Structures are given as structure tokens and as C-alpha cells.
Amino acid sequence: MGSSTVDCSKLSATMKRWPTRTMVGLAFVAVAMSFWLAYDAHALQSFASARLLLGPFALGHSGWAELEKHHGQLPRLRVVGGRVFDVEALVATYTFFDRVLALRRPFTVIWDPRSIVFPHVSSRLLREIRRWVDTNAVKWDTNVQAHALLLTNPIARSFAQLVVRLFAPPQPVRIVTNEEEALAFHKTCCQQPRSWVKTSYADRDQRFSMFWSRSA
């Protein structure tokens, strides 16, 4: 009993000496974690119900990509951007895309650029985009069935709408705010896979002529 009393008194003394701001900080972290778990509960459920076909594959700067498959649905390519998007990240992304296209099976894409804070747009990056698109546009549009862009920031969502108009993909596109909405779109957008190859890609050259000429 005596030793127990001593231990309790030591613990009490330690708690009194513990800085108040430390305790407040721990409380804040606990509350933040509870909100995060509640907000992303559907995201965790989505991940748990998916089976990986390829990946995860590191894209650099904490970005990653994988090809997942939910039961009874088309495969879905998930692309999660890291904090920085530069040429190295782009090359890694296209390397994984090549692996996915080599499977020759239809799939949808979910783009998640929410973590990107520094898109490093350079002439070299634009040249790499043009090179890969020129080589793979037909294979890409043969297999890709739809695009979902996962964005929560209103400003980013408005910018994404401009980007979609600039790239003008032939497939259905949906800008979503959470995993649940993205998965619902994935399940309903493409009941019958088809080819989305365009009769001509000349319009793409017209849209990007300003960028390509600057990067030449």
C-alpha cells in the first residue's frame, strides 16, 4: 500500500509540472483525429473493399498510383499527387501508366491532386507530356472509360473545370468531393465499356499550340 501511495503522489506531481500547452495540444490532436476518422470513414471502406491489381507505385514527393478493382466493377486507376509535381513525378506517373495500358483492359481513373502545393510547370515537363500523349493517346482512349477528379477546395474545383475544358477528354468526367461520390460514379458511369478513340486529334494540337510553341 505504501509503495502504491508513493507512485500515485509522484504521478500527481508530474501531472502538475506538465505544461498546460502540451495537454491542450494533445487534446487538439485527439479531436482532429476523431474528425478525420469520421470524415474519411467511407474512404477507408472503399480501400478495404478494393483488390489491388498493380501497385502501389511511388510517384515521388509522397505521391503514388495503383490499379484497384472492386467486386463486379471495372478496374480503377488511382493517381494521388505528392506535394510537388515535377518532371520526375511525371515520368514516374507515365511509367506506371505504361504498365496499366499493357494489360489491355478497360478501366476508369480517379485523380486525387489535393496534396499538390507546387506544380512545377516547365518547358521540359510540357515536352514530356506531349511526347507521351502523341505515343499513347489511342491506347489511352481505347481503355479509359471515365475520369473522376477528387477535389474539396472550391478554387481548385473551378480551376479543374478549366483544365478539363483545355484537355477535353472524350470520356465522361465528374468532379467529386469525396471517395463515396467517386465510387458511385465509377460504378454507374460505364456499364458497357467502349472505345473513346477520336476520329482526329487535331483539335488537341490547336488547344495546346500556345504551350507547345513556348516549350519548343
Side-chain angles (χ1 to χ4, degrees), residues 129-192:
I129 293 176
R130 179 60 183 266
R131 180 190 62 80
W132 193 88
V133 169
D134 285 347
T135 304
N136 297 282
V138 172
K139 289 189 291 185
W140 182 259
D141 287 342
T142 296
N143 294 286
V144 174
Q145 301 299 304
H147 302 269
L149 282 75
L150 181 54
L151 294 165
T152 53
N153 185 299
I155 297 177
R157 287 169 62 85
S158 298
F159 179 73
Q161 292 173 347
L162 295 176
V163 172
V164 169
R165 285 198 290 267
L166 177 64
F167 280 90
Q171 301 88 353
V173 178
R174 180 76 57 85
I175 300 177
V176 300
T177 58
N178 55 60
E179 284 280 350
E180 190 174 45
E181 188 180 355
L183 186 58
F185 174 64
H186 167 73
K187 290 180 176 180
T188 58
C189 68
C190 318
Q191 301 295 329
Q192 297 294 329

Side-chain angles (χ1 to χ4, degrees), residues 74-90:
L74 291 176
R76 182 169 65 166
L77 171 61
R78 180 184 296 273
V79 185
V80 180
R83 287 180 56 81
V84 178
F85 190 77
D86 53 15
V87 172
E88 288 70 24
L90 179 70

Side-chain angles (χ1 to χ4, degrees), residues 22-212:
T22 301
M23 298 181 68
V24 172
L26 290 175
F28 175 81
V29 170
V31 172
M33 284 297 293
S34 65
F35 275 108
W36 183 87
L37 289 173
Y39 177 79
D40 273 24
H42 52 269
L44 296 175
Q45 182 179 4
S46 174
F47 288 134
S49 64
R51 176 171 61 91
L52 285 183
L53 301 179
L54 288 176
F57 183 82
L59 305 180
H61 309 292
S62 299
W64 53 277
E66 66 183 25
L67 184 66
E68 61 190 30
K69 190 175 190 308
H70 295 264
H71 179 69
Q73 304 296 326
L74 291 176
R76 182 169 65 166
L77 171 61
R78 180 184 296 273
V79 185
V80 180
R83 287 180 56 81
V84 178
F85 190 77
D86 53 15
V87 172
E88 288 70 24
L90 179 70
V91 171
T93 301
Y94 284 159
T95 298
F96 189 70
F97 285 3
D98 290 339
R99 292 178 57 189
V100 174
L101 291 176
L103 298 177
R104 297 185 179 182
R105 58 190 302 181
F107 61 93
T108 69
V109 186
I110 176 170
W111 306 89
D112 184 356
R114 291 175 296 175
S115 297
I116 298 177
V117 296
F118 185 65
H120 188 191
V121 180
S122 64
S123 59
R124 183 187 169 198
L125 183 139
L126 294 175
R127 285 195 300 269
E128 288 293 332
I129 293 176
R130 179 60 183 266
R131 180 190 62 80
W132 193 88
V133 169
D134 285 347
T135 304
N136 297 282
V138 172
K139 289 189 291 185
W140 182 259
D141 287 342
T142 296
N143 294 286
V144 174
Q145 301 299 304
H147 302 269
L149 282 75
L150 181 54
L151 294 165
T152 53
N153 185 299
I155 297 177
R157 287 169 62 85
S158 298
F159 179 73
Q161 292 173 347
L162 295 176
V163 172
V164 169
R165 285 198 290 267
L166 177 64
F167 280 90
Q171 301 88 353
V173 178
R174 180 76 57 85
I175 300 177
V176 300
T177 58
N178 55 60
E179 284 280 350
E180 190 174 45
E181 188 180 355
L183 186 58
F185 174 64
H186 167 73
K187 290 180 176 180
T188 58
C189 68
C190 318
Q191 301 295 329
Q192 297 294 329
R194 51 159 289 189
S195 171
W196 292 91
V197 174
K198 298 180 179 180
T199 55
S200 172
Y201 287 87
D203 62 326
R204 177 198 64 199
D205 296 334
Q206 295 171 2
R207 289 193 306 275
F208 289 107
S209 60
M210 177 179 64
F211 296 99
W212 305 140

